[in-house]
Amino acid sequence: MFLEINHVNKQYKKDKQTNDVLVDIDTSVAEGEFVSILGPSGCGKSTLLSIVAGLDQVTSGEIRLDGKLIKKPGKDRGMVFQQAALFPWLTVEDNVIFPLRKEMTKKEAQKRAQEYLQMVQLSNSAKQYPHELSGGMQQRVAIARALAMNPKVLLMDEPFGALDEQTRARMHVELERIWLETKKTILFVTHSISESIKLSDRIIVMGTRPGTIIADIQVELPRPRRFDQKETIQLEKQINQLLKKEIDKVVEEELAYAANQ
Ligand SMILES: Nc1ncnc2c1ncn2[C@@H]1O[C@H](COP(=O)(O)OP(=O)(O)OP(=O)(O)O)[C@@H](O)[C@H]1O
Ligand SMILES: [Mg+2]
């Protein structure tokens, strides 16, 4: 498989206490597949994505991309976070060019930046500064910057979490188009059920305390996905029930903990 996550465990240790965050995460992603990781807050989604990015380490297990063991960040993985994290003193174009400069000449980097800004429909904003853009536009710059490096996989951690609902819906259409155009492998973290149904080929549902995979759902619905169809509503309901069980579990644990204090 293209991206292999093999029996990954992650613990954090603090004051002799061990916190199991991820327990036996074992899955894989095919080349070109759009996979969402869906789960309640604190279940370890960002931790898992950070490990794939090479920003964090496994306690045991391993991750391989195209056969190669992942140990640290690399240009084969592009990352997009909830906040666009652009350089405020650089123009939109220069933000995209900056990471490319280590790889190619200035002229080549400029050409590449133009190409990807066109893809995210921001050619007209190339000379603007980040603070002059809306949140959705800033996220599009971040996506262009990540894709311009031509990574093997695009890792996205709640990239639209800070956007209003209308902008978010527009970004879904944009991202789906970009994905269809580039055929990139995408690993997308979200806690929105509808977002995961809208975008993914497959939804990996995580449970919490500790973080484990509780379901792996193939989404067979035709694209663009519609939320007024019986099958979509049914899937939404099914996932909602799975997550509700997890959230109820956390609430029960919290109540028991509080009662023992
Ligand atoms: N550096 C760290 N040190 C100790 N514990 C950590 C660290 N990073 C994360 N954790 C713990 O790991 C668990 C999972 O955190 P993580 O951020 O991966 O969750 P998440 O699923 O991304 O949540 P959210 O949906 O709120 O973003 C949490 O209990 C958190 O407290
Ligand atoms: Mg997170």
Side-chain angles (χ1 to χ4, degrees):
M1 267 294 197
F2 194 57
L3 175 65
E4 288 175 59
I5 300 173
N6 295 327
H7 299 289
V8 164
N9 290 285
K10 176 67 181 175
Q11 300 174 334
Y12 285 112
K13 287 198 173 70
K14 198 186 170 198
D15 308 331
K16 288 182 191 158
Q17 271 207 335
T18 304
N19 182 13
D20 284 311
V21 174
L22 298 173
V23 170
D24 199 26
I25 302 293
D26 195 51
T27 188
S28 57
V29 177
E31 190 165 12
E33 201 174 20
F34 195 128
V35 175
S36 284
I37 300 174
L38 176 71
S41 184
C43 72
K45 304 181 294 295
S46 294
T47 303
L48 180 60
L49 210 71
S50 294
I51 293 173
V52 177
L55 298 167
D56 206 341
Q57 308 303 318
V58 298
T59 303
S60 65
E62 59 163 38
I63 299 189
R64 286 179 186 273
L65 177 58
D66 212 4
K68 200 177 131 219
L69 193 66
I70 287 174
K71 289 189 197 136
K72 53 181 185 3
K75 58 177 195 271
D76 54 353
R77 283 148 289 147
M79 187 96 182
V80 179
F81 299 95
Q82 188 166 347
Q83 302 297 338
L86 303 173
F87 297 119
W89 59 85
L90 292 181
T91 62
V92 162
E93 185 178 37
D94 286 339
N95 263 283
V96 181
I97 289 174
F98 184 78
L100 295 171
R101 284 294 281 120
K102 272 183 273 172
E103 312 295 322
M104 56 190 79
T105 66
K106 190 163 184 197
K107 215 168 165 188
E108 284 167 335
Q110 273 170 338
K111 190 166 167 275
R112 181 81 73 92
Q114 274 164 14
E115 196 182 308
Y116 281 88
L117 284 174
Q118 194 174 358
M119 182 184 285
V120 298
Q121 292 170 346
L122 279 179
S123 300
N124 285 337
S125 304
K127 304 291 179 204
Q128 286 186 292
Y129 285 87
H131 75 270
E132 298 175 287
L133 307 181
S134 71
M137 290 161 91
Q138 291 185 20
Q139 274 318 58
R140 271 146 62 198
V141 179
I143 292 169
R145 182 175 59 181
L147 285 175
M149 291 292 284
N150 195 21
K152 286 180 177 163
V153 52
L154 186 60
L155 307 171
M156 308 183 90
D157 192 353
E158 299 198 44
F160 311 137
L163 304 177
D164 64 82
E165 222 168 304
Q166 284 80 18
T167 310
R168 200 171 174 149
R170 265 216 318 274
M171 293 299 290
H172 291 157
V173 175
E174 288 293 309
L175 182 62
E176 187 171 51
R177 177 184 57 77
I178 290 166
W179 172 70
L180 290 168
E181 224 170 283
T182 57
K183 297 266 178 287
K184 277 286 163 222
T185 310
I186 299 183
L187 198 53
F188 185 98
V189 162
T190 179
H191 51 234
S192 160
I193 298 175
S194 60
E195 184 167 75
S196 67
I197 293 177
K198 172 80 186 140
L199 293 171
S200 355
D201 294 326
R202 236 174 87 210
I203 303 172
I204 294 175
V205 186
M206 285 180 67
T208 187
R209 302 192 187 196
T212 51
I213 294 176
I214 57 170
D216 190 329
I217 300 166
Q218 199 79 34
V219 186
E220 308 277 9
L221 306 166
R223 293 175 186 268
R225 307 261 159 79
R226 291 180 37 188
F227 284 85
D228 54 358
Q229 278 173 336
K230 198 175 76 211
E231 293 82 0
T232 318
I233 295 166
Q234 207 168 355
L235 180 60
E236 209 170 4
K237 221 167 160 182
Q238 178 198 345
I239 300 175
N240 196 21
Q241 272 164 0
L242 280 171
L243 288 184
K244 191 174 175 303
K245 245 189 240 165
E246 289 303 311
I247 292 164
D248 286 349
K249 194 173 84 185
V250 172
V251 172
E252 252 169 55
E253 278 175 20
E254 291 290 339
L255 287 175
Y257 181 81
N260 280 328
Q261 290 304 294

